Amino acid sequence: MKELKFNQPPCTGKEMEHIRKAIENGKICGDGEYTRKCNEWIREGCGTAGAYLTTSCTQALEMAALLAEIEPGDEVILPSYTFVSTANAFVLRGAKLVFVDIRPDTNNIDEKLIEDAITERTKAIVPVHYAGVGCEMDTIMEIARRHSLIVVEDAAQGVMASYKGRALGSIGDYGCFSFHETKNYSMGEGGAILIRDPEQCDAAEIIREKGTDRSRFLRGQVDKYSWVSLGSSYLPSDINAAYLWPQLEMAEEINNSRLACWDAYYEQLLPLQKEGVLELPVIPPECSHNAHMFYVKTSGIEERGALISHLKKHGIGAVFHYVPLHSSKAGVKYGRFHGEDRYTTKESERLLRLPMYYGLTLDDTSYVTEKIMEFYR
Ligand SMILES: *Cc1c(COP(=O)(O)O)cnc(C)c1O
């Protein structure tokens, strides 16, 4: 029997060579040669003023909350259908979470419901680009402009994806990438923060370097460095960056390989959607996605459970995703759901993710779709 894991960390085969080089460089702390290469790749590819590797997307989000100067009592608008880190970063600064319902087509925050959730305490909007499919960013940015709100994009899943030709993570004031091993490009644990405006780059460098102007000192711009603001240690070891670098060098190839699997899943499962048995992902025409995830939507939680068991019996790892934050213990404590939960809970209970990783083959996707067909027959 075939064994298909749900995920496998990306690996190009060139990692050891680069890790060795990082060690030989004699600089394995943060901001060595590989970190600089990765930063530059992101900055150029995304067209932002700044991009800095972090130890995780969680920490990139925490940096964004510091940069946004979130204070106790501020409100932050976000979807409930997301990972805990999207919320934690702002709660750590004392913010109150205001959850808004998602759109049933993309599982992204419903931009039409945001404005109604704004109060005089609202400070930021945090769209999450689920599955690497962009939120309706023009609408969100226009709302933010009118109400002078900061936009932090949780683009953890959005590396190499875009909205109207603009890279996810580069549209809001701050964008956050993840390079966790479950993401499209990985350094084990890692992430990056993207800074749109040049005036914010200094502040970002300071927060990332424990609240000191050490980065300026290393560039010879000041003759000693000192403590200038709140901060923490958000920079990864150059060894981790050396693992990531060869993947970024062949990012296009990795992306195309994932997209080929995504397209194969879609094509092979289309008949089931036409029969009204399953629903497949929707990609709005403004969005170019990165095949971060392929999911199907079943009729409900019971059918999903049965399908997971059926696939497991055939060696296939298929998993559900987020339990909505507003229904969790901490979510109740730190947030409230604004308006009606029409889709957040319902869609979260139907969604099932199929194996998707760099190295998955078209034979593998055919095997998975055959087993899904078998289940419904
Ligand atoms: C993976 C993920 C995170 C957290 O990323 P880490 O790098 O593991 O901290 C945050 N938000 C979303 C939407 C994610 O998918």
Side-chain angles (χ1 to χ4, degrees):
M1 186 175 73
K2 231 177 163 62
E3 279 287 340
L4 280 181
K5 285 193 203 133
F6 168 67
N7 176 254
Q8 283 197 55
C11 189
T12 66
K14 299 199 198 85
E15 285 76 5
M16 281 313 287
E17 180 190 316
H18 289 287
I19 288 171
R20 178 182 300 277
K21 175 116 194 304
I23 295 168
E24 284 167 2
N25 282 347
K27 187 163 165 54
I28 59 170
C29 68
D31 285 341
E33 178 193 341
Y34 284 102
T35 305
R36 280 200 300 272
K37 278 179 191 276
C38 294
N39 289 350
E40 198 47 32
W41 184 91
I42 299 169
R43 209 177 58 76
E44 262 186 19
C46 299
T48 50
Y52 306 93
L53 287 190
T54 57
T55 39
S56 62
C57 179
T58 301
Q59 303 233 282
L61 286 159
E62 288 179 23
M63 276 187 69
L66 279 164
L67 283 161
E69 298 181 339
I70 301 292
E71 285 170 8
D74 287 346
E75 291 181 356
V76 171
I77 295 173
L78 73 166
S80 167
Y81 188 67
T82 184
F83 190 57
V84 292
S85 297
T86 322
N88 263 322
F90 298 92
V91 174
L92 280 168
R93 308 250 51 84
K96 181 98 185 157
L97 307 170
V98 178
F99 298 116
V100 165
D101 207 10
I102 53 168
R103 295 164 41 150
D105 58 348
T106 56
N107 309 296
N108 283 335
I109 192 165
D110 188 336
E111 68 281 355
K112 293 188 291 305
L113 302 177
I114 292 174
E115 196 143 24
D116 193 53
I118 294 173
T119 71
E120 57 200 21
R121 306 195 131 201
T122 307
K123 189 81 176 274
I125 306 171
V126 189
V128 178
H129 304 299
Y130 188 70
V133 179
C135 295
E136 195 1 67
M137 287 309 289
D138 276 356
T139 306
I140 292 172
M141 293 310 291
E142 195 265 327
I143 293 169
R145 246 190 317 274
R146 261 191 294 111
H147 295 269
S148 305
L149 303 176
I150 290 163
V151 174
V152 178
E153 294 178 72
D154 183 337
Q157 305 173 12
V159 183
M160 291 286 282
S162 60
Y163 166 87
K164 296 191 177 173
R166 284 175 292 163
L168 300 187
S170 74
I171 304 163
D173 297 84
Y174 310 109
C176 302
F177 281 173
S178 174
F179 297 119
H180 185 259
E181 72 166 30
T182 53
K183 301 303 201 285
N184 293 24
Y185 307 91
S186 175
M187 51 198 272
E189 298 280 354
I193 185 163
L194 283 67
I195 312 286
R196 193 191 56 206
D197 301 323
E199 311 90 75
Q200 289 289 307
C201 290
D202 263 3
E205 284 185 349
I206 288 167
I207 287 170
R208 183 166 166 272
E209 269 282 17
K210 301 99 182 162
T212 73
D213 53 357
R214 186 161 182 268
S215 304
R216 260 181 284 180
F217 168 73
L218 293 176
R219 285 194 299 263
Q221 292 165 314
V222 287
D223 57 13
K224 61 177 173 22
Y225 72 89
S226 63
W227 187 25
V228 288
S229 81
L230 269 190
S232 189
S233 187
Y234 292 122
L235 65 174
S237 160
D238 214 47
I239 295 178
N240 294 57
Y243 184 95
L244 176 64
W245 175 247
Q247 293 166 44
L248 299 185
E249 273 192 302
M250 56 182 285
E252 203 69 55
E253 195 177 326
I254 292 175
N255 200 40
N256 289 339
S257 158
R258 296 184 73 110
L259 284 167
C261 289
W262 197 101
D263 291 344
Y265 273 140
Y266 191 91
E267 209 168 287
Q268 288 160 17
L269 292 172
L270 200 54
L272 287 182
Q273 172 164 271
K274 286 185 175 147
E275 288 163 34
V277 172
L278 272 181
E279 280 172 44
L280 302 180
V282 173
I283 312 292
E286 306 78 48
C287 297
S288 159
H289 75 108
N290 59 1
H292 172 63
M293 189 189 302
F294 192 92
Y295 62 78
V296 297
K297 284 184 178 170
T298 62
S299 67
I301 197 163
E302 271 161 36
E303 184 181 300
R304 182 179 70 179
L307 180 53
I308 291 175
S309 305
H310 174 80
L311 293 174
K312 193 171 173 195
K313 237 177 28 218
H314 292 93
I316 300 166
V319 299
F320 55 84
H321 213 183
Y322 308 128
V323 175
L325 295 182
H326 75 284
S327 61
S328 67
K329 189 176 153 203
V332 169
K333 184 168 172 191
Y334 297 116
R336 64 181 162 84
F337 199 98
H338 181 85
E340 191 194 341
D341 171 10
R342 275 184 77 191
Y343 294 112
T344 300
T345 300
K346 183 171 159 224
E347 300 306 310
S348 76
E349 290 181 344
R350 304 166 62 205
L351 187 143
L352 181 66
R353 306 160 73 195
L354 305 181
M356 177 56 83
Y357 48 84
Y358 176 57
L360 192 74
T361 66
L362 295 180
D363 276 352
D364 296 336
T365 57
S366 299
Y367 178 71
V368 175
T369 55
E370 255 169 50
K371 295 302 162 195
I372 293 174
M373 299 285 197
E374 196 180 285
F375 175 80
Y376 285 105
R377 260 187 250 117

